[in-house]
Amino acid sequence: MPNLGGVNCLPIVFQTRKATSSSTLNMEKGTSLPVAYTPTPAPASTTRCKSLKTVVKALALGLPLYALYAWHTNQAIIPSLSRANVNFASQCEQPPPLKPSQNEKLDKAYDFLSTEAFLNASVARLSGAVRVKSESFDDLGAVGEDPRWDVFYDFASYLKKTFPLIHSKLQVDKVNTHGLLYTWEGSNKDLKPTLLMAHQDTVPVPPETIPAWTYPPWSGEYDGKYIWGRGAGDCKNQLIAIMETVELLLEAGWEPKRTILLSFGFDEECSGRQGAAHLSKFIEERYGKDSLAVIVDEGAGFEKTWGTLFAKPGTAEKGYTDVYITVRMPGGHSSIPSDHTSIGVLSELITRIEAEQYRTHLEEENPYFTQLQCGAAHSPQFSHKLKKLLAHRKRHSSSSSSSSSSAETCKTKDYLALEAAREGGPAIKYLMQTSQAVDVISGGIKTNALPERVRATINHRINIGETPQVVYDRLTNLAAHVAKRHGLSLHAFDSPPSSSSSFDSSSTDLEVEPPNSLILSKSSHELLVAPITPSSPTSGGPFAVLAGTTRALYGEQVIVTPGIMTGNTDTRYYWDLTRHIFRWGPGYDPSDDDAGLGNIHTVNERVSVRAHVNGVKWFWMFLRNMDEVKGE
């Protein structure tokens, strides 16, 4: 076989000659042995041409053989995909549309939601809410001490003025000063309450971005289709929709059997420790653990993919952890620098971290696995390759235990997840992969002074099937190499978790940082993957009610599938109150693909008014459907 490593490696030449008397061996007559000899050297150009021809011939023969080998190997890894026969429709059953029982007065009130009069009134209410500036900041001090909290007095006053029936007929509790809990007592105390949630605060608007806005960020401007401004889509729209629903139900004279709770935090955008954390404890003290029938908070919405419109209420959330990397090295004058400053060392470690991503893998309890099955069952444009990979996974999981399936995923590539990520891009990939993002960095104080301390913060969202420990182990391993290379001592997660990523030089953290060191520490805000909400569409439980309500409002062409949140909501504090938690934005405008999560937390945040009105209709039907459903 020719050596294909280069064209200058020539084959050894053999030639058979007739044996002479002096060279004939004692063998059978007429038999001669091949004798090696050195041929007359050919010109260099001729030799190169022959060599190239040899390589071309070898490639012509070798490449098809290699392709056959690769195909065979791939078939061994993903066997018998074409023989798969899986009934995906049975894995994605859809409940029938669910409408409340007929009631002439209530039906007339519901019809009012489709009028221009209601639309205009709703525009005024939501625009007014956007005009109340209610930013929250990561460095807020204690409630009652930091005056920046006082904006929530203004927002509470606006709600009281705008929704008089709610404030006169429902019980209103103010928790930790600005948390709002409304209680509409039901007539049947044996039924668990329904809880609707939203948050009053918004992310800040950087002043330097204001000129880039089409309309001022606190104007609440209505252009005939959208309401513009910070909080219009996250999530004053959901809060106002909930309040409008309850106000109109009170006006129509409805009396619920099931108690209804409305819980509005005020610092969701900075982790909810002052708002939702206190509100959830207040509710638990009143009703106890596992005391609620269902929770609906802000979250996922609708997605058009594979030729199908999916409604994707979030039934899971990824985990969360922040890791702080601190490098301490000697200072000095910049004219006599060390070969590597602390900034350079930190940059080297960050480069190593970003050079490799966490593995992409899809656990079967991940809600996206269900959406893939729904796509295979109901979507005309669903990927043929994904369908085969999905069928193979289903066949394999049905013939082996879940533990062995997980073990196989850990040892081999998850071809289903990798293909779904390839086809869907980053938005889909990070439903199945722990993310890492270097979001904050600080260091150095002067151009002629070597930096003595630098720090970076890396945010992680933990994939289903993993824990934050996966992050800590990986970063420790990478940091060890960098620390050894630069003669630094490594301190990996050996100090108490930090409550802040602050770089304040007065921080007490500085007192315990050893010199010539590389320090890894974690935030006190660590969160495991959320418990996954049951999502049977035919059990008659809360998911079935949610799905049936959605299909009643938007049509049976909508496929309802459980979704997963890559971010975290205030529901992180409510896990002990119910298994049935949905992160769900029910407002949808079929004529608009632009509104929604794509515009939150950035310039030109806005919401479609038609989507907002549809959100009111959805909450109206959902509250009534939950009131009529049998069960807890």
Side-chain angles (χ1 to χ4, degrees):
M1 184 76 181
N3 185 340
L4 301 183
V7 295
N8 292 321
C9 297
L10 301 179
I12 298 174
V13 181
F14 296 92
Q15 181 168 319
T16 303
R17 297 196 305 175
K18 185 175 180 181
T20 64
S21 58
S22 60
S23 61
T24 302
L25 298 178
N26 187 17
M27 299 180 68
E28 289 186 66
K29 186 177 180 180
T31 302
S32 61
L33 291 177
V35 179
Y37 80 107
T38 303
T40 302
S45 59
T46 304
T47 302
R48 283 194 296 270
C49 289
K50 288 182 177 180
S51 300
L52 289 171
K53 288 179 180 178
T54 302
V55 171
V56 170
K57 289 179 180 178
L59 288 174
L61 176 63
L63 286 177
L65 290 174
Y66 178 78
L68 180 63
Y69 167 78
W71 177 85
H72 177 76
T73 302
N74 193 49
Q75 295 307 302
I77 295 173
I78 314 173
S80 306
L81 294 182
S82 60
R83 298 200 304 268
N85 184 18
V86 177
N87 180 9
F88 291 111
S90 66
Q91 308 299 316
C92 184
E93 296 183 62
Q94 295 295 299
L98 181 63
K99 294 183 178 181
S101 59
Q102 290 187 334
N103 178 297
E104 184 177 353
K105 188 175 182 180
L106 292 175
D107 292 345
K108 184 177 180 180
Y110 179 79
D111 291 341
F112 174 65
L113 301 180
S114 298
T115 65
E116 286 297 314
F118 176 75
L119 184 146
N120 292 332
S122 187
V123 165
R125 286 186 284 262
L126 180 51
S127 294
V130 171
R131 286 194 290 271
V132 181
K133 195 174 182 179
S134 57
E135 297 170 301
S136 61
F137 303 87
D138 289 343
D139 62 346
L140 281 164
V143 175
E145 297 178 8
D146 192 324
R148 290 176 293 176
W149 292 112
D150 293 347
V151 295
F152 295 102
Y153 287 121
D154 298 334
F155 194 75
S157 296
Y158 176 79
L159 294 180
K160 185 174 183 179
K161 177 183 69 175
T162 307
F163 302 103
L165 288 179
I166 289 177
H167 287 83
S168 63
K169 295 190 175 184
L170 269 59
Q171 177 181 335
V172 183
D173 294 289
K174 295 185 177 181
V175 181
N176 196 23
T177 307
H178 299 300
L180 298 175
L181 179 66
Y182 299 88
T183 305
W184 191 356
E185 289 288 352
S187 60
N188 188 343
K189 303 301 181 185
D190 293 331
L191 297 176
K192 291 183 176 181
T194 292
L195 171 62
L196 305 181
M197 294 173 57
H199 58 87
Q200 308 168 55
D201 62 311
T202 72
V203 296
V205 176
E208 60 272 17
T209 69
I210 291 177
W213 285 71
T214 302
Y215 300 99
W218 306 107
S219 66
E221 183 71 27
Y222 175 51
D223 66 358
K225 183 173 184 178
Y226 300 110
I227 293 175
W228 299 70
R230 178 62 83 232
D234 182 20
C235 73
K236 288 182 178 178
N237 55 326
Q238 187 135 327
L239 189 152
I240 296 300
I242 291 169
M243 294 292 278
E244 287 178 321
T245 300
V246 173
E247 184 84 1
L248 291 170
L249 284 169
L250 285 167
E251 187 177 315
W254 185 56
E255 296 180 354
K257 296 188 289 291
R258 187 185 298 273
T259 293
I260 296 170
L261 305 174
L262 314 179
S263 180
F264 303 143
F266 56 94
D267 64 338
E268 191 274 346
E269 300 293 1
C270 47
S271 298
R273 286 184 283 265
Q274 301 301 319
H278 289 262
L279 284 159
S280 63
K281 289 179 181 177
F282 187 92
I283 295 170
E284 184 176 328
E285 289 173 0
R286 180 191 287 179
Y287 296 103
K289 293 183 182 294
D290 193 28
S291 56
L292 304 182
V294 63
I295 294 174
V296 178
D297 191 13
E298 62 164 338
F302 294 77
E303 178 189 15
K304 286 182 179 178
T305 186
W306 307 313
T308 301
L309 178 62
F310 289 91
K312 300 173 60 175
T315 59
E317 285 184 1
K318 296 176 75 174
Y320 181 105
T321 188
D322 288 324
V323 173
Y324 309 125
I325 303 176
T326 306
V327 178
R328 294 295 305 270
M329 293 177 67
H333 199 282
S334 296
S335 63
I336 313 175
S338 55
D339 290 344
H340 302 279
T341 69
S342 56
I343 291 177
V345 172
L346 179 59
S347 300
E348 180 182 334
L349 178 53
I350 290 173
T351 300
R352 284 175 173 261
I353 290 169
E354 291 190 336
E356 183 179 344
Q357 300 291 309
Y358 290 87
R359 66 192 182 100
T360 304
H361 67 106
L362 180 60
E363 299 288 331
E364 293 191 10
E365 60 264 38
N366 187 319
Y368 191 64
F369 186 72
T370 302
Q371 184 178 353
L372 288 176
Q373 295 179 86
C374 287
H378 299 288
S379 299
Q381 300 171 19
F382 190 74
S383 162
H384 180 63
K385 186 173 183 179
L386 272 181
K387 196 168 190 176
K388 291 202 297 182
L389 289 165
L390 186 61
H392 171 65
R393 173 73 73 85
K394 289 295 295 180
R395 250 184 30 259
H396 180 271
S397 63
S398 65
S399 61
S400 62
S401 66
S402 59
S403 59
S404 64
S405 177
S406 296
E408 182 190 66
T409 303
C410 291
K411 294 177 181 178
T412 65
K413 289 184 178 180
D414 187 336
Y415 289 95
L416 174 62
L418 290 170
E419 179 62 19
R422 187 191 68 79
E423 294 185 16
I428 299 302
K429 179 177 76 170
Y430 286 113
L431 301 178
M432 306 173 288
Q433 179 180 310
T434 293
S435 63
Q436 56 184 14
V438 184
D439 288 330
V440 182
I441 190 167
S442 178
I445 57 174
K446 208 170 186 301
T447 58
N448 63 350
L450 298 177
E452 297 179 277
R453 181 183 192 265
V454 295
R455 199 179 203 197
T457 302
I458 306 180
N459 174 261
H460 302 82
R461 307 300 173 117
I462 312 300
N463 190 19
I464 290 178
E466 295 180 345
T467 69
Q469 192 62 45
V470 171
V471 170
Y472 307 146
D473 291 344
R474 175 174 179 266
L475 294 183
T476 298
N477 182 58
L478 292 173
H481 292 286
V482 175
K484 182 178 180 180
R485 169 174 155 79
H486 295 284
L488 303 175
S489 61
L490 176 62
H491 300 268
F493 307 105
D494 54 6
S495 59
S498 173
S499 60
S500 172
S501 61
S502 171
F503 298 98
D504 183 1
S505 61
S506 64
S507 169
T508 57
D509 289 347
L510 299 179
E511 299 173 6
V512 298
E513 291 178 355
N516 295 305
S517 62
L518 196 163
I519 305 164
L520 303 180
S521 58
K522 61 183 178 180
S523 167
S524 58
H525 180 54
E526 177 188 278
L527 194 65
L528 297 176
V529 171
I532 298 174
T533 297
S535 55
S536 170
T538 58
S539 65
F543 182 83
V545 175
L546 183 151
T549 301
T550 302
R551 286 163 61 81
L553 178 60
Y554 294 109
E556 294 186 61
Q557 79 282 0
V558 176
I559 302 300
V560 184
T561 178
I564 176 174
M565 299 289 293
T566 54
N568 301 109
T569 65
D570 273 344
T571 60
R572 74 192 82 177
Y573 299 104
Y574 289 76
W575 294 354
D576 289 341
L577 290 170
T578 181
R579 295 185 303 135
H580 304 284
I581 299 176
F582 301 100
R583 300 93 176 161
W584 171 231
Y588 175 67
D589 180 353
S591 67
D592 177 52
D593 292 328
D594 193 39
L597 295 180
N599 295 306
I600 69 170
H601 291 205
T602 189
V603 169
N604 286 335
E605 182 176 347
R606 60 195 179 275
V607 66
S608 160
V609 170
R610 289 293 177 187
H612 175 70
V613 170
N614 281 337
V616 178
K617 293 179 179 180
W618 188 91
F619 281 116
W620 176 289
M621 286 200 292
F622 181 73
L623 286 178
R624 291 196 59 204
N625 282 334
M626 280 299 300
D627 205 60
E628 296 175 6
V629 71
K630 296 179 180 179
E632 296 180 334

